[in-house]
């Protein structure tokens, strides 16, 4: 779906994955992947409200898995695109101090 920039289809598939997730890890990954889709859409459409939705998904991913470095980093990117520089910097710093990053 992303290959043809069919955002509605990609979002629907991501919502299905979130709904089907059972374990904390699966929930975190599902929300993270949804956030990545929304970030890509936000970059393509250049709309702050889409980055806000991405931030919400990354926040849900981090609620399920607080030590998820890539979710922290990508949330920082979404926040930066929303001109929330201090919050973005905090996410970037926190992601840099996570194991495996």
């Amino acid at each position: 779906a992303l290959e043809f920039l069919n955002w509605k289809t990609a979002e629907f598939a991501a919502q299905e994955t979130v709904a089907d997730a059972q374990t904390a890890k699966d929930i975190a990954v599902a929300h993270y992947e949804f956030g990545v889709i929304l970030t890509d859409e936000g970059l393509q459409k250049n709309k702050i409200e889409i980055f806000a939705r991405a931030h919400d998904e990354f926040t849900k991913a981090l609620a399920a898995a607080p030590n998820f470095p890539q979710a922290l980093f990508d949330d920082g990117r979404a926040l930066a695109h929303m001109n929330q520089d201090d919050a973005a910097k905090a996410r970037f710093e926190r992601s840099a101090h996570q194991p495996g990053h």
Side-chain angles (χ1 to χ4, degrees):
L2 295 179
E3 180 176 336
F4 300 105
L5 301 180
N6 188 340
W7 298 115
K8 291 206 180 294
T9 301
E11 285 186 35
F12 180 76
Q15 289 168 338
E16 291 286 309
T17 302
V18 166
D20 292 342
Q22 299 292 319
T23 67
K25 181 181 177 183
D26 290 344
I27 291 166
V29 169
H31 283 293
Y32 169 76
E33 290 175 350
F34 194 3
V36 169
I37 289 167
L38 291 167
T39 299
D40 290 346
E41 182 180 0
L43 288 168
Q44 197 260 331
K45 294 182 176 179
N46 197 27
K47 291 190 175 183
I48 287 180
E49 59 270 14
I50 299 172
F51 290 113
R53 291 178 58 212
H55 168 63
D56 289 342
E57 291 302 320
F58 293 131
T59 300
K60 291 173 186 174
L62 291 164
N67 298 320
F68 190 162
Q70 196 59 48
L72 286 164
F73 181 82
D74 287 341
D75 191 32
R77 287 181 57 221
L79 289 163
H81 284 287
M82 294 163 48
N83 299 314
Q84 294 185 19
D85 296 338
D86 291 339
K89 183 179 177 186
R91 286 296 204 211
F92 292 140
E93 288 175 358
R94 191 167 154 216
S95 75
H97 293 95
Q98 293 298 310
H101 197 262

